[in-house]
Amino acid sequence: MSDVGCLILAIDTSCDDTSAAVVRDGRDVLSNVVSNQSAFHSKYGGIVPEIASRRHVEQIWPVVDAAMQEAQVGFGDLSAVAVCHGPGLIGSLIVGCAFAKSVAYACGLALIGVNHLHGHICSVNLIEERPLKFPYLSLVVSGGHTSMYRVDGDGLYTLVGATRDDAAGEAYDKVARMLGLGYPGGPVIDALAKDGNPKAINFPRAYMPDSLDFSFSGLKTSVMNYLRTSREKAPVEDICASFQAAVIDCLLRKVQQALNSQRASAVTITGGVAANDALRRAIRTLPPEIEAIIPPKTLCTDNAAMIAAAAYISLKKGEFANLTLNPKAYIPVC
């Protein structure tokens, strides 16, 4: 049994990872178990929703059980159960929501529904011993999202910029498919880029100086045209490095632009693409007066601990769900 504290069991099945975590007081991660499905989807070049939802059905109880055992708690020790109810793949979300509601009903626990993107924003709460000074910026960059928010308080978000087309992670996956590198594309491109020349090919950057929005569709198309029309193609390592340099350049330019316009002195970078080694190195080039915070890789990719961190804010505000909670494929953050 855990020491005294507010214990939240959190569940995330928003995409292809089945995850459960037990977190105390919104910060102390007692367990964070993730079952990854990449091996089941890689041969298709991307996530197959039906396969993902069926795997969640198989894995949800073993993953929750493992999280509870690792945390050394029982259901009677919990203060609440939290679940990601969107955005995400609807079939996957249904599994997590149904399980969480069943636990809440059977154990008489409070139920908290969490927006997946709130979870990413709050993942830094799991590593920061002192609260960040408001306002600060939060860049969420993943396979499905590339958005920037001004954070004015706990749970108080304003969208200041978003992708107009492809998310950065989506562009990684599509370029990897063009190059025959398999799925998921981000890690393999990042690995190959380490041995490549980022200046070998001058791929375009959609800076859009009058906006804080992002755009990666043109970059993706430029890679496709290069592969179709270039007579002497650069090594794949150079293509990966040049593509990745363009993505990171756009991300960091927008961060610096937003820091100035929003009068913020700190930025957090979260989401699956934040696990990218090149991006993690690049944020060190930001001006020293800017506090740039990026969680460990295990808290960047989809995980339930971040859902618990967001749920703790809702719990303190008395914002609970009931058993009519249903998943939604799209839920705006603010």
Side-chain angles (χ1 to χ4, degrees):
M1 179 174 176
S2 172
D3 295 335
V4 175
C6 175
L7 295 177
I8 295 177
L9 166 66
I11 295 168
D12 181 69
T13 59
S14 56
C15 193
D16 63 328
D17 288 339
T18 310
S19 181
V22 178
V23 177
R24 179 169 49 211
D25 297 333
R27 291 184 177 275
D28 185 10
V29 181
L30 303 184
S31 64
N32 191 24
V33 178
V34 180
S35 176
N36 182 271
Q37 298 183 13
S38 292
F40 295 91
H41 302 281
S42 59
K43 65 180 179 180
Y44 302 104
I47 297 169
V48 181
E50 179 65 18
I51 293 176
S53 58
R54 289 180 180 274
R55 284 295 298 170
H56 285 308
V57 172
E58 296 171 4
Q59 291 297 308
I60 185 68
W61 172 242
V63 167
V64 169
D65 186 48
M68 297 288 284
Q69 291 194 37
E70 183 177 329
Q72 297 184 349
V73 300
F75 287 102
D77 301 320
L78 300 174
S79 302
V81 57
V83 63
C84 171
H85 67 117
L89 299 177
I90 194 66
S92 295
L93 291 165
I94 286 173
V95 178
C97 283
F99 190 92
K101 289 194 291 185
S102 298
V103 170
Y105 177 77
C107 301
L109 293 170
L111 178 66
I112 302 171
V114 175
N115 185 310
H116 185 75
L117 296 178
H118 288 186
H120 278 305
I121 294 171
C122 292
S123 62
V124 295
N125 296 347
L126 301 169
I127 63 169
E128 285 297 295
E129 295 183 358
R130 58 183 176 80
L132 285 170
K133 182 180 178 181
F134 302 117
Y136 65 87
L137 294 178
S138 178
L139 173 64
V140 179
V141 54
S142 66
H145 309 277
T146 302
S147 304
M148 190 150 44
Y149 303 91
R150 189 182 71 243
V151 183
D152 293 303
D154 287 339
L156 301 176
Y157 313 125
T158 301
L159 180 67
V160 297
T163 183
R164 297 185 179 182
D165 37 62
D166 290 353
E170 181 183 1
Y172 267 96
D173 286 339
K174 290 179 177 178
V175 168
R177 192 177 301 128
M178 295 176 199
L179 294 170
L181 300 177
Y183 172 86
V188 67
I189 287 179
D190 189 27
L192 288 170
K194 289 180 172 69
D195 296 321
N197 177 8
K199 297 181 179 180
I201 309 163
N202 186 25
F203 288 129
R205 278 83 160 150
Y207 289 137
M208 299 181 292
D210 297 327
S211 168
L212 293 177
D213 286 346
F214 304 88
S215 174
F216 298 104
S217 181
L219 169 60
K220 173 200 66 182
T221 301
S222 181
V223 175
M224 180 178 65
N225 289 337
Y226 173 84
L227 294 174
R228 285 179 175 176
T229 63
S230 178
R231 294 183 178 179
E232 296 185 5
K233 295 181 181 61
V236 67
E237 293 84 358
D238 288 352
I239 298 172
C240 290
S242 298
F243 162 76
Q244 181 161 265
V247 173
I248 293 173
D249 189 17
C250 289
L251 291 173
L252 293 190
R253 283 203 180 214
K254 288 299 178 183
V255 164
Q256 291 182 296
Q257 185 182 344
L259 286 166
N260 293 331
S261 66
Q262 302 298 313
R263 298 181 180 180
S265 59
V267 60
T268 66
I269 304 177
T270 61
V273 178
N276 179 283
D277 285 332
L279 177 58
R280 298 173 81 88
R281 290 192 300 269
I283 64 170
R284 301 172 192 161
T285 66
L286 291 171
E289 65 271 16
I290 297 172
E291 186 177 12
I293 299 166
I294 189 165
K297 292 182 180 182
T298 54
L299 296 177
C300 290
T301 52
D302 290 351
N303 68 93
M306 70 181 192
I307 302 301
Y312 184 68
I313 294 174
S314 296
L315 185 148
K316 289 192 297 181
K317 293 181 176 181
E319 298 173 348
F320 300 105
N322 56 41
L323 297 180
T324 65
L325 177 71
N326 281 319
K328 294 182 180 179
Y330 172 73
I331 306 175
V333 172
C334 48

